[in-house]
Amino acid sequence: MMRDDRFLPECDVVRDWAWAALLAAWEGGDNLRLAELAECWLKDHPDDRDFRLWAADGLAAARHLEAAAGHLQAILDADPSDVEVVARLGHLYFRGGQIDLAARLFGEALALRDDVADVHYGLGLVAEQRHDYVAAERAFANAHRLDPDGFPLPVRLTDREFEHCLKEAVQELPAELQVALDLVAIVVQDLPDEESMRAVEPPDPELLGLFTGPTHGERHAGMGEMVPTIVLYRRNLERLSEDPDHLLEEITTTLYHELGHYLGWDEEEVARRGLE
């Protein structure tokens, strides 16, 4: 006779099965399925903090930031002193471009505890967005001191070193893309401005690159006089990278991704080629 799991007694074994399903969804990259499974468990176990964090993580990874924030806020309604969740909520609002709200939350988290690396990292992100690079580097250094493995120091190159790295990245591209790149301008900026940040939905201050202007097909159809342009956001790329080789890899992937948009690939095609 087939067992119907709906009638199993509530116990740790059942929770372990649910947890295993979450891990499988996470490892498979199915973020919405992850959130769905966690929310299913929460219907009968609304106070389960761990599953609520899973739901928030899945929704955040799928860029459903408002829904993710709702789960984090539910945890804080029960325990406003949960510094990990205050910091997570700060990062969530930062990812959505709400820099001032993120700054307030990171400040509240710091007042609760000053030894949490993620809080200092968040303060660094906010300082960087406000172009206070000295404060940003100090905050990133604090995060690294508290958790060296989790928060490696950003790679910082001189202008000449970054230009050399960019040239190397171009050489790493397939030959046909190097030809396409001859028709595209490359601009390097420190960080996305407000307009660029909001060129995607939801807004993203951690953009690595952005394509603007006519696509290859539009240009050859005589549409528009704008120059096709790829903008690379240097400080975001450097912060994401653990060493110069990793930075080279990130620049190459970002160029490939944005060139895909120039060639008319949609996000599904970009993802299929492993360029998310």
Side-chain angles (χ1 to χ4, degrees):
M1 180 176 178
M2 184 175 294
R3 181 177 63 188
D4 190 336
D5 289 344
R6 291 175 300 172
F7 300 105
L8 284 173
E10 181 175 315
C11 61
D12 289 342
V13 173
V14 177
R15 190 177 189 276
D16 287 346
W17 285 347
W19 191 267
L22 293 179
L23 287 175
W26 179 259
E27 291 169 358
D30 193 343
N31 296 311
L32 290 178
R33 177 61 175 163
L34 170 65
E36 179 186 15
L37 289 168
E39 289 178 334
C40 183
W41 177 266
L42 288 167
K43 288 178 183 177
D44 294 323
H45 310 84
D47 297 328
D48 194 318
R49 177 184 181 276
D50 293 334
F51 275 74
R52 202 164 283 285
L53 288 175
W54 272 116
D57 285 348
L59 289 164
R63 302 291 291 172
H64 294 193
L65 303 186
E66 186 175 345
H71 282 291
L72 296 179
Q73 189 59 58
I75 297 174
L76 291 177
D77 288 344
D79 181 8
S81 66
D82 192 328
V83 65
E84 177 191 349
V85 177
V86 176
R88 284 195 186 207
L89 192 57
H91 282 289
L92 202 64
Y93 282 121
F94 180 85
R95 289 182 63 192
Q98 299 187 56
I99 308 301
D100 290 341
L101 182 52
R104 179 175 66 78
L105 286 163
F106 290 133
E108 291 176 3
L110 187 67
L112 290 169
R113 280 181 57 186
D114 64 0
D115 61 345
V116 178
D118 200 28
V119 173
H120 289 278
Y121 188 78
L123 290 168
L125 293 175
V126 168
E128 199 170 49
Q129 279 296 316
R130 292 172 171 172
H131 302 286
D132 187 347
Y133 295 152
V134 173
E137 295 304 312
R138 183 168 58 246
F140 292 145
N142 284 335
H144 177 71
R145 174 177 53 81
L146 291 165
D147 184 358
D149 293 331
F151 296 90
L153 290 173
V155 175
R156 297 300 185 206
L157 303 184
T158 65
D159 291 346
R160 178 172 293 183
E161 288 170 338
F162 193 89
E163 182 180 353
H164 178 73
C165 193
L166 177 54
K167 288 179 179 178
E168 282 192 83
V170 171
Q171 294 302 313
E172 294 283 335
L173 295 172
E176 64 271 20
L177 289 186
Q178 292 186 38
V179 172
L181 196 58
D182 288 339
L183 303 174
V184 179
I186 300 177
V187 175
V188 178
Q189 296 178 358
D190 276 348
L191 295 164
D193 58 20
E194 186 76 15
E195 181 180 355
S196 300
M197 190 189 307
R198 299 190 181 281
V200 296
E201 183 59 39
D204 187 0
E206 296 183 283
L207 278 175
L208 303 180
L210 184 68
F211 172 75
T212 63
T215 65
H216 181 72
E218 290 172 336
R219 194 176 191 198
H220 285 274
M223 295 177 62
E225 297 181 358
M226 290 179 61
V227 176
T229 302
I230 292 173
V231 185
L232 297 176
Y233 298 111
R234 173 175 171 172
R235 290 188 72 89
N236 284 346
L237 286 160
E238 290 178 338
R239 184 171 7 85
L240 186 66
S241 305
E242 298 178 2
D243 54 50
D245 288 340
H246 188 195
L247 177 59
L248 173 61
E249 179 183 334
E250 291 296 339
I251 294 174
T252 304
T253 300
T254 303
L255 283 175
Y256 204 152
H257 182 117
E258 302 308 332
L259 272 171
H261 290 308
Y262 168 66
L263 294 172
W265 302 345
D266 59 18
E267 289 296 340
E268 288 187 3
E269 175 67 10
V270 168
R272 189 182 68 78
R273 293 171 180 261
L275 301 172
E276 292 180 289

